[in-house]
Amino acid sequence: MFPVDNSNIQLSNPSYVPVTKDSVTYYGGSQMWFSGKDKFSKDYILRNYGCGTIAAADLFLYLALQYPRNRNALTEIALQGDRTIDYPNYDTYVRNINDEYTKTRRIIAVLGPRLAHSFNSYADTYHLNYKASWKLTLTYYDMYELIKEMLYEDIPIILSIGPNTPNLWGNKGISFYQKYQIEGLENEKAKENFIGTEKIPKYYYMALTNDVNRHYVTVTGIETDEVFGKVMLRISSWGKSYYINYEEYRDYIETTGGTFTSSMLYIQKT
């Protein structure tokens, strides 16, 4: 049975997949660490189309970090018998994941059903007790419940912000937000803007990147805004922690994207 209070659900490890590069610890990996200089190289393909491969590689590492039984010869390329992940080892590991499982392709990248196949092949090879499927035509509430279910089971969610449909090269998308605390004078100004409300916000969200589409992110938590009741999904993308507004994401699906390409990798324990 799931807890009654489900307004704030996070993965058990707040660091998610900590990758250390140039003395900075990142919140998961980034496709942007690969070179884009040679358009005919595998690095160029990973840099421009490899977000699904990064998401899958980080998912495998998270499961290995949290549950020692899920560690194997492949994840040890990155972990090296430890719980820390140094970038050179991570780089080699991601290349192995791409070569053996996700096989990122130019333009096409890694489609959702391919991600599910890659996960299941990996799970079969290393005897992991999980089964994945790429969900299609999920409603607002069905997707929300599946995300909560996976977070309760301590399983990260690979979420797709698909292309514009039918204009696949359209530029409309959603915003990525950062969360900032409100303190001191800012809090007094906030009070002036929220006269009559029962709660004064202690934080706010600022959009850092707009119109993101054709991109995979990994959901690591759900937070419900205590003042307005907005559902914010905490995500890992490009090695950083961001938030997306679930309402905006679902509005994008209904008006511009589509439920086939903007969906999620659903993973169950077996």
Side-chain angles (χ1 to χ4, degrees), residues 1 3 28 64 99 110 131 142 144 149 167 175 236-237 259 263:
M1 176 176 283
D99 290 344
V110 183
K131 183 73 173 179
D142 287 343
Y144 181 64
E149 176 188 324
N167 178 19
S175 297
S236 168
S237 179
T259 57
S263 192

Side-chain angles (χ1 to χ4, degrees), residues 161-174 211-213 248-259 261-262:
I161 308 162
N164 293 190
T165 304
N167 178 19
L168 298 179
W169 302 111
N171 293 321
K172 293 182 179 179
I174 66 172
D211 289 322
V212 179
N213 64 49
E248 292 178 2
Y249 173 67
R250 289 300 313 189
D251 183 65
Y252 171 77
I253 292 175
E254 299 299 328
T255 62
T256 310
T259 57
T261 56
S262 292

Side-chain angles (χ1 to χ4, degrees), residues 41-225:
S41 69
K42 189 174 293 186
D43 276 27
Y44 179 90
I45 293 174
L46 283 171
R47 181 182 178 90
N48 288 276
Y49 310 104
C51 52
T53 291
I54 294 294
D58 286 356
L59 170 59
F60 300 152
L61 282 179
Y62 183 84
L63 297 176
L65 284 166
Q66 298 308 108
Y67 307 100
R69 66 180 180 275
N70 294 330
R71 295 176 75 135
N72 52 63
L74 192 51
T75 57
E76 287 308 298
I77 294 174
L79 298 176
Q80 296 290 308
D82 204 346
R83 292 186 61 82
T84 60
I85 306 168
D86 293 326
Y87 169 68
N89 297 329
Y90 180 82
D91 177 84
T92 302
Y93 162 75
V94 170
R95 294 176 190 278
N96 275 268
I97 292 295
N98 185 58
D99 290 344
E100 297 181 31
Y101 293 102
T102 53
K103 305 181 188 301
T104 308
R105 299 175 64 184
R106 194 183 300 271
I107 307 298
I108 294 175
V110 183
L111 299 180
R114 176 71 199 181
L115 269 182
H117 173 78
S118 298
F119 181 93
N120 291 330
S121 178
Y122 172 86
D124 288 344
T125 298
Y126 295 107
H127 310 291
L128 274 60
N129 297 322
Y130 299 95
K131 183 73 173 179
S133 60
W134 184 255
K135 305 301 287 185
L136 301 174
T137 65
L138 286 176
T139 66
Y140 176 106
Y141 293 103
D142 287 343
M143 176 178 280
Y144 181 64
E145 290 301 316
L146 292 183
I147 290 174
K148 288 196 301 181
E149 176 188 324
M150 287 180 60
L151 289 173
Y152 280 130
E153 295 290 349
D154 204 23
I155 304 172
I157 299 98
I158 297 178
L159 189 76
S160 171
I161 308 162
N164 293 190
T165 304
N167 178 19
L168 298 179
W169 302 111
N171 293 321
K172 293 182 179 179
I174 66 172
S175 297
F176 283 7
Y177 296 88
Q178 188 57 268
K179 186 178 183 180
Y180 296 96
Q181 297 295 321
I182 300 175
E183 297 178 355
L185 181 61
E186 290 183 351
N187 200 36
E188 294 302 316
K189 291 181 179 179
K191 290 180 181 179
E192 296 176 6
N193 293 327
F194 291 92
I195 294 174
T197 62
E198 294 183 0
K199 296 182 179 180
I200 303 300
K202 297 181 176 62
Y203 53 83
Y204 64 97
Y205 297 95
M206 178 180 291
L208 299 183
T209 306
N210 298 312
D211 289 322
V212 179
N213 64 49
R214 290 175 286 174
H215 187 54
Y216 286 104
V217 301
T218 301
V219 178
T220 63
I222 293 178
E223 298 180 14
T224 301
D225 186 292

